[in-house]
Amino acid sequence: MGQFADLGPLIESERKFRPQYTQLDVDMARQALYGDQGNNGLIDLLNRSSPELARIQQSALTAQREGDIADVARLAGASRAAYDQLNPEGSAMLKRINELRMDELQNPYAMSASQRREAQQAVRGAQAARGMGYGPTDTFTEAMYLGDRQRGLFNERIGGAAQAVGMNQAFYGDPFQQI
């Protein structure tokens, strides 16, 4: 206890002057942030420099994106060729699926002769079962059914094309992620 006996005057001094030191610290922080007469603070400096900093950052992002796109343009073919070599059977199947889907999209409403015959026979069989099939209403019903079947084929083919795109993405991946 003897070594701490002399602390009384020090504590009294601290009690008397610490609030002044604290206020001085607050005043200095305020002056650094906001400045005073003719002296600009940090906040003013940031406000004045923000547009320039934003321009620099945007320029850097643009340069990075341009570089990424250039890399993909330059290297994506090599990446695809590597996948083709890695899995030639899968690549061949995917190419064939793409060809078939592209052929379907040339005329997505087209029906093969067997598809048309199957649709006509379905309508005519249903009409014959009901003792019908020879009047203008029956012809109209058959035409409507064929139109519905063609719209169904269109939707199936669009869905198949979207599925083929997904298969390509799953097989080859995202070129930006690969490079």
Side-chain angles (χ1 to χ4, degrees):
M1 178 128 177
Q3 61 183 344
F4 298 112
D6 296 336
L7 290 180
L10 185 59
I11 291 174
E12 280 306 312
S13 175
E14 188 75 18
R15 188 173 290 132
K16 180 178 178 182
F17 294 109
R18 174 53 50 200
Q20 293 174 14
Y21 280 116
T22 302
Q23 187 60 50
L24 179 63
D25 289 341
V26 169
D27 292 344
M28 290 175 68
R30 183 179 297 119
Q31 183 178 357
L33 285 174
Y34 300 107
D36 56 11
Q37 302 87 357
N39 180 15
N40 295 321
L42 182 59
I43 291 177
D44 183 52
L45 177 64
L46 289 173
N47 282 333
R48 285 186 289 126
S49 62
S50 288
E52 181 65 15
L53 292 173
R55 187 196 62 74
I56 290 169
Q57 182 180 13
Q58 184 60 47
S59 179
L61 286 172
T62 298
Q64 180 182 354
R65 288 181 187 124
E66 287 172 350
D68 290 345
I69 290 170
D71 285 347
V72 168
R74 186 171 46 85
L75 299 172
S79 173
R80 187 176 184 120
Y83 274 100
D84 290 345
Q85 288 176 357
L86 181 66
N87 186 349
E89 295 85 5
S91 174
M93 282 190 273
L94 189 57
K95 286 178 185 169
R96 183 66 181 130
I97 289 169
N98 287 334
E99 290 169 4
L100 290 171
R101 294 300 185 188
M102 291 298 285
D103 288 345
E104 288 176 347
L105 292 177
Q106 292 298 317
N107 187 357
Y109 292 100
M111 297 177 82
S112 68
S114 64
Q115 288 171 322
R116 182 176 293 281
R117 188 172 44 259
E118 181 183 317
Q120 288 171 333
Q121 294 303 317
V123 171
R124 291 174 186 174
Q127 291 169 332
R130 291 189 302 272
M132 303 165 42
Y134 302 106
T137 303
D138 300 311
T139 303
F140 176 75
T141 302
E142 184 176 320
M144 290 297 295
Y145 182 78
L146 286 173
D148 285 345
R149 183 65 185 117
Q150 286 175 316
R151 282 187 294 282
L153 284 172
F154 173 83
N155 291 332
E156 288 173 21
R157 289 171 179 160
I158 295 299
Q163 186 179 25
V165 168
M167 290 170 69
N168 278 278
Q169 289 174 343
F171 187 81
Y172 291 111
D174 180 356
F176 285 95
Q177 294 295 323
Q178 296 168 3
I179 296 171

